[in-house]
Amino acid sequence: MARVMKVFRTLRNHWKKSTFAVCVLSYGGYWLYGKHCDSVLRREACLVAREFGRQQIAPQERLRKATVILNPAACSGKANNLFEKNAAPILHLAGVEVTVVKTDYEGQAKKLMELMEQTDMLIVAGGDGTLQEVITGLLRRPDRDTFSNTPIGFIPLGSHNSLSPSLHLLSDNKVKDITSATLSILKGETVPLDVLQIKGEKEQPVFALMGLRWGAFRDVAATISKYWYLGPLKTNAAHWFSTLREWPLVQQVSVSYLAPSLRPPDLPPYKPPRPNLIYRIIRRLKNYWNPPDIEPPKVEEPEKWEEQQLLTTELFIQTHNKNPVKRRINDSMMICAEPDSFTVGEFISVGNKKHEDPTVFTKDSTKLEASACRLELPEGTGGFFNIDNEEYDATPVEVRLLPRKLRFFISAERREQLLSP
C-alpha cells in the first residue's frame, strides 16, 4: 500500500510531466490501434482476393490483363504508397496480370491513353483530375468506339473523388475505401455512365463524368483554403469577404439547349445465329434475280434549339451519374441555375451547403433537362469553369451528352443501396 501511495504522490508532485506523458501515451495507443485496424482490413481483403486467384481456368484461357494509370502526386504525394500497400497485393493475389503506368506531370494521362494497347480492364488510381484526363484521352482516340467497351475501375486516391460515392460504399477509413473499391473490380459488376463532351471554339473536346460548374460559389470555393488559419470559420469567412469585394455576385449567360431524347430500353447484347448454308444461297439468288428496292436516304430534321437568358449566381451542368442505376425515361443532363436574389446571409448559408455537396440546389433554382446545350458568355467575362473539379478558362462552349458511353465497376452493396427507396 505504501508503494502505491508513493506512486500517487510522485504523480501529484510532477503533475505537468504526468499530464504530458498521459497525452503522449493516449495518442500513441490510438495511433497503434488505427494501424492494427488497417492491417486487419488489408488481411481480410487479401483473403477474399485469394479465392479469386484459386479459381481454375481452362488451358486455352489467359490471365486477365489490367492496365493501371497511377498518379503518384495525388493525395499530397501519398498515392503511390497507398496503392502499393492496399490495392496492388489484392490484384496480384487475384491472379490479374497488372501493368502499372505512372504519370510524371499534369496532362500526361491524356497522352498515355493515345498509346495504350487493348486490355481487359482499365484501372484509374488517383483523384478527379486523373480520372478526367484518362476518359478525355480515351474518348479522343480514333478507335474510341472499341476502347469505350473496356470496363473501367476507379480506386479513390485523390483529395477529391467525386465519382466514388456513386460506385462504392464510403467510410471514414481510407484503407477500407481503397480495398473495397479494388474488390469491386475483381467481382466484375459494372454500370453504364453518361459522359459530357465539352467543346470550345478552338480546343479539342474535354470529357467529364460529373459536370461543369461556373459562378460565384465556384470562385469562392477555390479561395477557402487561403483562410486555413480561421479553422471551422474559414468557409463562412471566404463567402463573406467575397461579398465585401463585390456585390451582387450575379452573372448573365445565354443558354441554348436541345430537348432530351427518349432512352432506349436496356437490352442485353444479342447476336442472332447465322442461317444455314442452303438458306443463305437461296437468299443471295433471290436478291440477284429480284433485287430489293433501294430506299431513299432519310433527310435529317434540323435541330430545334431553344434559347433562354439567365441571370444567375451559379450555373451547373451535370449528369445523372450521382445515381447511375436509377431507371429514367429520357437520356438527359440537368442545367441548374441558382437565382440572382440572394441576400448576403443566404449567400453564405447556401455556400456552406455547396461546399459539402456542389450538386445541391435551392428550391428557387431554374432547372432544365436537355441533351445538348450551348453557353454564350458576355464579352469580357473572365473566371474559370470547374470541369470535374479541374479548372479551365471560361469561354463559350457546347456541351453534348453521350449517354451510357462508358462502363465502370460498381460494388453490389452500393448498387442495392442506390436502388432502395
Side-chain angles (χ1 to χ4, degrees):
M1 189 66 182
R3 186 175 297 178
V4 175
M5 293 301 297
K6 185 178 180 181
V7 171
F8 278 109
R9 193 178 298 112
T10 303
L11 294 175
R12 186 188 64 183
N13 294 336
H14 302 278
W15 62 272
K16 294 181 181 180
K17 296 179 181 178
S18 302
T19 303
F20 177 76
V22 168
C23 292
V24 170
L25 290 174
S26 300
Y27 178 79
Y30 178 78
W31 182 80
L32 288 174
Y33 177 73
K35 291 293 182 181
H36 170 71
C37 292
D38 291 346
S39 299
V40 171
L41 289 171
R42 294 189 191 100
R43 178 177 176 80
E44 291 176 352
C46 287
L47 290 176
V48 176
R50 189 174 63 177
E51 297 303 317
F52 286 96
R54 287 178 173 177
Q55 294 176 0
Q56 296 183 354
I57 60 175
Q60 66 273 15
E61 291 185 30
R62 59 177 177 81
L63 294 176
R64 289 183 297 171
K65 291 184 178 181
T67 301
V68 180
I69 306 297
L70 172 62
N71 179 13
C75 196
S76 303
K78 301 176 184 177
N80 186 65
N81 188 39
L82 288 171
F83 177 80
E84 293 295 339
K85 275 190 174 182
N86 305 300
I90 296 174
L91 295 173
H92 290 302
L93 282 171
V96 179
E97 187 178 336
V98 181
T99 302
V100 180
V101 181
K102 298 180 181 180
T103 58
D104 296 324
Y105 54 87
E106 186 177 351
Q108 188 183 18
K110 299 177 188 176
K111 299 178 181 179
L112 292 174
M113 292 308 300
E114 296 176 2
L115 307 174
M116 189 187 74
E117 298 178 354
Q118 188 64 46
T119 183
D120 295 324
M121 65 182 80
L122 176 64
I123 300 175
V124 182
D128 286 344
T130 310
L131 183 61
Q132 196 252 344
E133 286 186 14
V134 168
I135 64 168
T136 297
L138 179 68
L139 295 176
R140 283 181 181 175
R141 293 177 61 112
D143 55 350
R144 54 183 170 271
D145 292 335
T146 302
F147 268 82
S148 60
N149 295 323
T150 304
I152 303 174
F154 179 52
I155 299 177
L157 298 180
S159 54
H160 293 95
N161 306 293
S162 303
L163 187 64
S164 197
S166 304
L167 303 176
H168 317 120
L169 292 174
L170 298 184
S171 66
D172 296 331
N173 190 309
K174 189 78 172 177
V175 174
K176 187 174 182 179
D177 293 342
I178 296 171
T179 54
S180 62
T182 310
L183 289 175
S184 67
I185 295 172
L186 300 179
K187 293 174 183 177
E189 191 168 343
T190 60
V191 63
L193 295 186
D194 298 337
V195 178
L196 294 181
Q197 176 183 284
I198 304 167
K199 190 172 184 180
E201 296 176 348
K202 299 178 181 179
E203 299 178 354
Q204 286 186 299
V206 174
F207 298 87
L209 289 168
M210 300 308 294
L212 179 149
R213 187 184 182 193
W214 173 70
F217 291 114
R218 188 225 75 87
D219 296 339
V220 174
T223 65
I224 290 176
S225 59
K226 295 180 180 179
Y227 303 100
W228 58 269
Y229 50 85
L230 296 178
L233 300 176
K234 61 183 179 182
T235 304
N236 287 334
H239 286 84
W240 184 57
F241 289 147
S242 68
T243 61
L244 296 178
R245 287 190 291 269
E246 181 183 355
W247 186 258
L249 297 168
V250 177
Q251 298 280 3
Q252 183 178 0
V253 61
S254 173
V255 179
S256 304
Y257 61 95
L258 291 175
S261 57
L262 286 174
R263 184 169 192 161
D266 297 326
L267 298 176
Y270 173 71
K271 187 177 180 180
R274 191 181 185 188
N276 58 48
L277 179 62
I278 297 175
Y279 177 83
R280 298 201 305 273
I281 293 174
I282 294 173
R283 184 178 59 185
R284 289 191 179 186
L285 291 173
K286 182 180 177 182
N287 292 337
Y288 178 79
W289 295 109
N290 188 18
D293 296 333
I294 300 176
E295 296 182 1
K298 294 182 179 180
V299 179
E300 295 184 1
E301 296 183 2
E303 296 178 332
K304 297 180 181 179
W305 291 85
E306 299 181 33
E307 186 174 356
Q308 189 166 344
Q309 300 290 332
L310 296 175
L311 276 174
T312 179
T313 312
E314 177 166 276
L315 184 75
F316 200 153
I317 304 172
Q318 58 183 328
T319 63
H320 292 287
N321 290 339
K322 193 172 182 180
N323 186 354
V325 299
K326 183 179 180 181
R327 294 185 179 274
R328 297 180 181 85
I329 299 175
N330 296 326
D331 279 327
S332 65
M333 58 186 178
M334 292 298 299
I335 305 172
C336 304
E338 289 286 15
D340 60 338
S341 56
F342 287 133
T343 64
V344 173
E346 290 172 340
F347 179 78
I348 296 173
S349 175
V350 174
N352 271 307
K353 296 177 182 177
K354 285 184 173 291
H355 181 60
E356 299 295 330
D357 185 3
T359 61
V360 173
F361 277 77
T362 58
K363 295 180 181 179
D364 298 329
S365 61
T366 302
K367 295 184 179 180
L368 304 172
E369 212 172 354
S371 60
C373 75
R374 293 170 181 162
L375 300 183
E376 294 291 339
L377 309 180
E379 291 186 7
T381 301
F384 297 93
F385 290 143
N386 257 23
I387 301 177
D388 281 2
N389 284 322
E390 291 296 302
E391 281 192 355
Y392 289 83
D393 291 332
T395 58
V397 293
E398 179 178 308
V399 184
R400 285 190 177 268
L401 180 75
L402 306 179
R404 295 176 289 179
K405 187 66 175 177
L406 300 174
R407 298 193 68 85
F408 275 73
F409 291 104
I410 184 173
S411 69
E413 297 82 5
R414 183 55 178 159
R415 180 191 286 272
E416 292 177 4
Q417 191 180 67
L418 292 172
L419 286 173
S420 61

